[in-house]
Amino acid sequence: MSCPENCVERMLQQTQRDRAQAAHDAARKQLAAQRRLVELGATGQIDADQAEAEVAKTRAELAQTTTKYENTLKDVERGRALVASKIMSEKVFDDRSNLKREAEAAVKFS
């Protein structure tokens, strides 16, 4: 049984979101390591501060890409039904689909 197009797209988007989550998790681990090095006197506070800033950055990127991803999924799903019932033009649906692809790219590169 093959997976419909939207199923494949969702799997791709979920994979990309998982990648953003992994980057955030790695940044948190780096921060913990830097804090421990500061405690041991093996590195300066600046390194720990930079690691903390990276955690904040990845947290924000993850939240942003997750929200955009979820919103575009909703828009595309709503749009499919509206196009089928001729309430929405295919042009508007295409625009929504393009926004979804942009969200996918944002998730992929965050």
Side-chain angles (χ1 to χ4, degrees), residues 59-108:
R59 182 183 314 118
E61 288 172 350
L62 179 60
Q64 179 183 24
T65 55
T66 298
T67 299
K68 189 171 183 179
Y69 164 71
E70 290 169 352
N71 287 339
T72 57
L73 281 178
K74 290 176 188 175
D75 283 345
V76 168
E77 289 305 312
R78 287 184 202 119
R80 286 186 204 284
L82 295 173
V83 167
S85 62
K86 303 290 186 199
I87 295 172
M88 176 187 288
S89 73
E90 289 187 28
K91 165 71 170 104
V92 172
F93 180 75
D94 289 344
D95 290 344
R96 285 186 179 188
S97 295
N98 288 336
L99 288 173
K100 184 177 136 234
R101 282 190 282 280
E102 288 175 17
E104 289 171 352
V107 171
K108 180 178 181 179

Side-chain angles (χ1 to χ4, degrees), residues 37-54:
L37 289 171
V38 168
E39 289 174 9
L40 297 172
T43 190
Q45 183 63 40
I46 291 174
D47 293 328
D49 292 344
Q50 288 173 338
E52 191 167 343
E54 184 65 22

